Amino acid sequence: MRRLLLALALGTALPASAQTPAQAALDRLAGTMGYRFAILDNRLTPCPAGVAACFRSEITLTIPADLPPAVAAPELRFGFVSRIVGIDSEDFDWRLVNGDLNVLTLKPGRRLEPGKTYRIGIIGLGRYLSRAHGMPNAHLVVAGAAPRVIAATRTRIDPDTGLETLPFVAPMTDEAKLAPVSAEDRTRWLTPPRAYARYAERGAATAPDVVVLPKPVSAVRGTGAITDLTGGIRVIASGIAPGDLRAALAALPYAKGRGVPLAITRKASLKPEGYRLTIGDGRIAIDAADAAGARHALRSLAQQAAQERGRLRPLTIEDAPRYAFRGLHIDLARNFHSRAEVEKLIEQMAAYKLNKLHLHLGDDEGWRMQIRALPELTDVGAYRCFDATETTCLQPQLGADPDRRAATNGYLSQADYLTILAAAKARGIEVIPSFDMPGHSRAAIRAMEVRHRRLQAAGDRAGAERYRLVEPGDTTAYRSIQNYDDNTLNVCIEGTYRFLDTVLDKMAALHAKAGMPLKTYHIGADETAGAWSRSPACRTMMAARKLEPKQLSAYFIERVSAGLAKRGISAAGWSDGMGHTDPAAMPARVQSNIWSGVHTGAIAEAHGQANRGWDIVLSVPDLAYFDMPYAPDPDEGGYDWASRGVDPLQVFGFMPGNLPANGALIPDNLARPTPVADPIPLAQGRAIAGLQAQLWSETLRTDAQVDYMLFPRLLSLAERAWSAAPWEPAYVPGATYALGDARVDRGVLLSEWRGFAGRVGVALGQLDRAGVAYRLAPPGARITAGRLEALSEFPGTTIEYRAGAGAGAWQRYTGPVAVSGPVELRTRSSDGRRPGRSVTVRPGDE
């Protein structure tokens, strides 16, 4: 029995000799049955009663001819990230477990028939626009056997691109049914001919002389002799500790201790993080405002030296950042990503002068940080496996691989976190941890319930109650936006605050141990469901404090923020929750991350909360949600609830100092030219504090996918966080901008883009050398009069083509070429080692 339970928890097979007949039969069925998921119609009418928009999808099951009788009536459990509003099947019933985990069961008296194909129609809420939303690892459950993943639903890694694929998800090719989701939706798929037109309109990249990215405030070439670094450099630092420069100096691949003198001097007269880099007369001088400025100068030097192969012509750069906050948010909670990936990203952040790392470590689907005082948080909350009781792990969500050893399972040990802190400290990057609360907290809640049961069974009733996060008498019924009915902490019981205090104190202690004090903690505070209305503790507290239910979330944020302030830690949170608080009840220093879209409230939130005197960090999806797809294309990954496509130009063109002006460049999410107003003008003297890129990981199961979704978009965000855009008009309170507004000069934008694209082309080679698997955009291509024409998004990458689709040898594209019939194309990385996703263009395509 112990071996069976262990196999169930690990999601592994028992040895053949230990298998029961039921287990052997289930293993055979799971390994041989066919499974196919397809989206059939995004314009389905009519929808079920009360549903405004819906789509039709279908699961096809093919039962093997030698179906074992012992498993003829299994449960089929599968992930489905849209809310299901109905199914169409003569054979199966459906029910929701929780979150995105759903179950199909055979109707009473029905059994699977050998050799039969079953088609189950599934009606989902909203629209389904990407194959990447298909959740893998559907599994079968029968009594007397450990559940098994259906082999056909497992992910694969493409041997050429290194990217994850979902072989069980049918292609989405019918644009008429699958793309125009309503009469008002003007979104069109980015087909190869449309991509060609897009790239042609932007123009060819400009070959760069100074390749530094982000672009310096000033870069002037001088005259004189070459400064040759290939023989080594001799560092002389004054006023800046050598340890603060070690990581930046390591980015210069030249021997240290001899050769060209490199003098680094602190100059208090420069702007914070500013520097002056002077190359000439056989020497290099860096004047820096502080250690951060010196590091930035060294990173600029490293980029330029790599381009000039260590033989530098005279150059003077004067530089300082526009914004003090230049951040990257990484979600490790939904799907875990490795410490090595985080360390790699920290180095890339430093290379491109980003300085805030927001680590999202706790959410509904996982708790990813070791807290030794509360071991269940990671023993249980860091894993998803086959345990319906959720005693050893959480149930699978988001198509998780139930094997406890899967890469998407796991957590950061304290040693891992200290390593991350050390890497960040060496590069001047502040680490901002976050465990989202009071919503998005299911992993913590379930883990603390296991702790409660363990201590209760041991007779330690007080200990059992100490960190309990739910109230047994609370009968409130709710569903979060992610479809959970049990993911919200009770904000009216003291166990919640004891729990958070313990977590905060342990995190602060780790930061102190690393010599990197915890300065900012991100509460989360977003998307709190309608919980607590039937909580006895909340009714008592509301009566005592004269509060209404809608004020309870704000009470939690205010109380936690006050506790942080007493520790000398600044409170941060997402703008929806933070905006509900009473400013008078909040500390003086507050950070709010604005995550509404340009067309859905970002301007009002950003200006209104900036007017409170808070630090406003723009995290808007139109600029910075890098889990959104790059383009409206069903083969591009990422969610699309906020944007159908956030490509590098859209990020590069963003105007953070004049938010309404972005209406001149960005249509709404249905590709309509909706004007953007300024309903709450920014008060005089108030401003934006900075920008932060977000990468949520619901559909990202591999580290390579992280790289793909971040790069090269993150380079665009680094540019905008550092440098002001010359096409950004001065902010005028109350102004409204419509798409194409002449006050935003698109000609200037595209001219600057061409220079930026040239620098990105150089940076891609640097990313190759760093092992970053950045996205290779499919080529734009058209066939005109029998001739193939193709363009790539960035220089430095090559285009390859072959006749037909999936046949023949790849050839390098060097210019227009005569073709007949369809042509398959792809882009290859600058180092030649890695191809991107291929596309096919046919004569007559548009």
Side-chain angles (χ1 to χ4, degrees):
M1 179 58 71
R2 288 183 62 190
R3 297 181 72 187
L4 175 63
L5 291 174
L6 180 62
L8 185 150
L10 292 176
T12 55
L14 287 165
S17 61
Q19 287 186 335
T20 64
Q23 189 69 67
L26 181 61
D27 289 355
R28 191 161 82 249
L29 175 60
T32 58
M33 72 180 291
Y35 186 105
R36 190 75 160 164
F37 174 68
I39 302 299
L40 303 180
D41 195 347
N42 267 317
R43 302 190 66 182
L44 185 64
T45 56
C47 293
V51 177
C54 63
F55 64 89
R56 181 179 180 84
S57 61
E58 186 176 76
I59 292 175
T60 302
L61 305 177
T62 304
I63 309 305
D66 60 347
L67 172 69
V71 291
E75 280 191 354
L76 190 154
R77 298 192 168 209
F78 64 103
F80 202 85
V81 294
S82 299
R83 189 167 293 185
I84 294 176
V85 295
I87 74 164
D88 179 12
S89 174
E90 295 180 355
D91 300 288
F92 288 88
D93 290 322
W94 157 81
R95 75 174 188 275
L96 171 68
V97 178
N98 211 353
D100 76 287
L101 183 60
N102 293 268
V103 178
L104 292 173
T105 56
L106 285 156
K107 291 182 177 180
R110 301 291 178 93
R111 295 173 67 81
L112 296 179
E113 297 179 24
K116 184 174 179 177
T117 295
Y118 295 86
R119 300 185 185 277
I120 303 105
I122 299 179
I123 312 303
L125 181 67
R127 312 299 182 190
Y128 202 113
L129 304 174
S130 171
R131 296 181 67 244
H133 300 174
M135 291 292 114
N137 296 308
H139 49 278
L140 300 175
V141 179
V142 298
R148 287 291 181 258
V149 170
I150 300 169
T153 68
R154 290 198 178 275
T155 63
R156 303 287 188 271
I157 299 298
D158 185 290
D160 289 331
T161 66
L163 295 174
E164 181 187 86
T165 65
L166 302 171
F168 63 94
V169 180
M172 296 175 66
T173 57
D174 188 345
E175 186 175 10
K177 278 193 171 185
L178 302 181
V181 299
S182 74
E184 293 189 355
D185 191 336
R186 304 181 188 180
T187 306
R188 303 174 78 196
W189 287 354
L190 190 66
T191 61
R194 292 167 192 164
Y196 183 93
R198 171 182 286 188
Y199 298 156
E201 188 258 346
R202 294 174 183 179
T206 304
D209 177 26
V210 177
V211 302
V212 175
L213 197 162
K215 185 178 181 179
V217 172
S218 171
V220 179
R221 283 292 189 186
T223 58
I226 294 287
T227 298
D228 188 351
L229 304 187
T230 60
I233 57 176
R234 177 164 49 92
V235 181
I236 309 113
S238 175
I240 298 175
D244 289 338
L245 304 177
R246 192 170 294 119
L249 284 169
L252 287 166
Y254 307 108
K256 312 301 190 294
R258 58 183 176 81
V260 172
L262 171 55
I264 303 173
T265 307
R266 186 167 192 151
K267 293 283 186 180
S269 58
L270 295 173
K271 293 180 180 179
E273 298 190 69
Y275 66 91
R276 182 184 300 110
L277 170 63
T278 306
I279 304 167
D281 298 325
R283 63 185 64 244
I284 300 172
I286 292 174
D287 294 333
D290 43 32
R295 285 190 291 264
H296 299 327
L298 289 168
R299 294 291 182 167
S300 296
L301 176 61
Q303 291 179 18
Q304 194 63 32
Q307 175 69 1
E308 298 189 50
R309 300 186 179 181
R311 295 173 54 81
L312 293 158
R313 293 182 289 124
L315 176 66
T316 299
I317 292 177
E318 297 191 32
D319 206 5
R322 181 183 191 184
Y323 293 116
F325 192 110
R326 306 178 302 281
L328 172 61
H329 162 284
I330 300 293
D331 173 11
L332 302 185
R334 267 58 177 274
N335 282 305
F336 186 62
H337 297 289
S338 69
R339 187 192 79 187
E341 178 69 11
V342 176
E343 290 183 89
K344 181 174 72 177
L345 293 177
I346 287 172
E347 172 60 17
Q348 294 310 309
M349 289 176 68
Y352 300 104
K353 303 182 177 71
L354 301 173
N355 64 352
K356 310 287 182 180
L357 176 61
H358 178 171
L359 286 179
H360 187 76
L361 298 169
D363 212 295
D364 295 323
E365 294 81 14
W367 182 281
R368 307 301 183 181
M369 180 67 220
Q370 181 184 38
I371 305 294
R372 287 178 178 161
L374 302 170
E376 285 85 358
L377 283 173
T378 44
D379 290 349
V380 177
Y383 297 94
R384 287 168 287 188
C385 69
F386 292 139
D387 181 357
T389 68
E390 296 191 307
T391 300
T392 60
C393 64
L394 306 177
Q395 289 203 69
Q397 295 286 343
L398 298 172
D401 186 334
D403 189 331
R404 198 173 176 91
R405 299 160 299 186
T408 49
N409 279 327
Y411 60 92
L412 297 176
S413 68
Q414 291 194 3
D416 289 333
Y417 194 68
L418 288 170
T419 299
I420 288 169
L421 291 178
K425 180 184 178 183
R427 293 159 178 81
I429 295 171
E430 179 188 355
V431 176
I432 302 171
S434 175
F435 304 94
D436 208 345
M437 300 176 189
H440 287 275
S441 294
R442 188 175 190 275
I445 291 169
R446 302 318 307 164
M448 290 300 94
E449 286 299 280
V450 173
R451 179 186 186 277
H452 175 269
R453 292 195 296 270
R454 173 175 64 83
L455 294 177
Q456 189 88 342
D460 183 0
R461 184 173 180 180
E465 295 295 330
R466 183 167 181 76
Y467 294 114
R468 200 172 192 188
L469 303 176
V470 294
E471 179 187 21
D474 184 359
T475 59
T476 309
Y478 63 89
R479 282 283 174 194
S480 74
I481 192 68
Q482 284 81 20
N483 227 14
Y484 292 104
D485 62 358
D486 58 353
N487 78 332
T488 306
L489 309 177
N490 191 310
V491 301
C492 305
I493 60 176
E494 287 306 305
T496 291
Y497 300 97
R498 281 192 294 268
F499 171 80
L500 183 52
D501 284 345
T502 296
V503 170
L504 285 172
D505 288 344
K506 300 304 181 185
M507 296 300 290
L510 286 172
H511 278 252
K513 185 175 181 178
M516 190 183 190
L518 180 56
K519 296 179 181 178
T520 307
Y521 174 76
H522 201 283
I523 300 168
D526 64 313
E527 296 184 328
T528 300
W532 317 309
S533 60
R534 296 184 179 179
S535 160
C538 287
R539 287 175 176 169
T540 299
M541 191 183 78
M542 286 188 291
R545 295 178 177 270
K546 296 182 171 55
L547 297 175
E548 298 179 8
K550 64 181 181 180
Q551 296 174 295
L552 290 176
S553 181
Y555 165 81
F556 171 83
I557 298 167
E558 291 163 6
R559 178 169 171 176
V560 172
S561 297
L564 289 168
K566 290 179 181 178
R567 294 174 169 88
I569 301 169
S570 295
W574 300 108
S575 53
D576 55 339
M578 303 302 275
H580 293 146
T581 62
D582 178 359
M586 294 292 283
R589 184 73 184 271
V590 174
Q591 173 189 314
S592 181
N593 290 82
I594 308 299
W595 69 280
S596 294
V598 165
H599 293 275
T600 56
I603 289 87
E605 281 190 353
H607 291 178
Q609 294 181 27
N611 291 344
R612 297 182 177 189
W614 292 357
D615 292 335
I616 300 304
V617 176
L618 297 179
S619 305
V620 298
D622 318 77
L623 162 75
Y625 263 46
F626 292 165
D627 54 299
M628 297 291 123
Y630 278 89
D633 182 325
D635 287 324
E636 285 292 338
Y639 279 175
D640 47 42
W641 57 266
S643 178
R644 302 288 181 79
V646 179
D647 79 341
L649 176 61
Q650 182 160 307
V651 181
F652 176 79
F654 201 84
M655 295 167 281
N658 187 346
L659 284 176
N662 289 288
L665 298 176
I666 302 174
D668 70 12
N669 197 29
L670 299 181
R672 299 173 301 188
T674 307
V676 175
D678 185 15
I680 302 179
L682 193 63
Q684 189 172 3
R686 301 300 186 191
I688 299 303
L691 312 181
Q692 178 175 280
Q694 279 65 231
L695 189 68
W696 302 100
S697 67
E698 288 97 331
T699 62
L700 307 182
R701 287 170 285 271
T702 69
D703 289 352
Q705 288 175 293
V706 170
D707 288 359
Y708 181 99
M709 299 301 281
L710 283 178
F711 295 95
R713 290 189 284 202
L714 191 61
L715 305 182
S716 295
L717 183 130
E719 183 96 351
R720 284 288 64 80
W722 186 271
S723 319
W727 58 89
E728 180 179 296
Y731 172 69
V732 177
T736 295
Y737 290 80
L739 197 67
D741 194 304
R743 287 171 290 178
V744 177
D745 193 329
R746 185 171 174 82
V748 173
L749 164 61
L750 292 180
S751 176
E752 291 290 321
W753 165 261
R754 291 189 283 272
F756 173 74
R759 287 180 287 125
V760 170
V762 174
L764 296 182
Q766 297 165 358
L767 293 174
D768 281 329
R769 290 188 287 276
V772 176
Y774 56 86
R775 176 184 186 249
L776 289 156
R782 66 182 183 181
I783 297 174
T784 304
R787 292 175 66 80
L788 171 69
E789 298 176 294
L791 294 171
S792 60
E793 183 176 40
F794 291 112
T797 57
T798 57
I799 297 174
E800 298 176 335
Y801 73 99
R802 61 184 180 184
W810 289 101
Q811 303 177 64
R812 182 168 181 170
Y813 176 85
T814 57
V817 60
V819 296
S820 61
V823 178
E824 189 176 6
L825 302 100
R826 67 185 186 186
T827 309
R828 184 170 286 276
S829 61
S830 63
D831 65 1
R833 296 181 179 180
R834 186 170 55 89
R837 176 172 65 84
S838 66
V839 293
T840 299
V841 62
R842 297 171 175 82
D845 280 356
E846 62 174 41

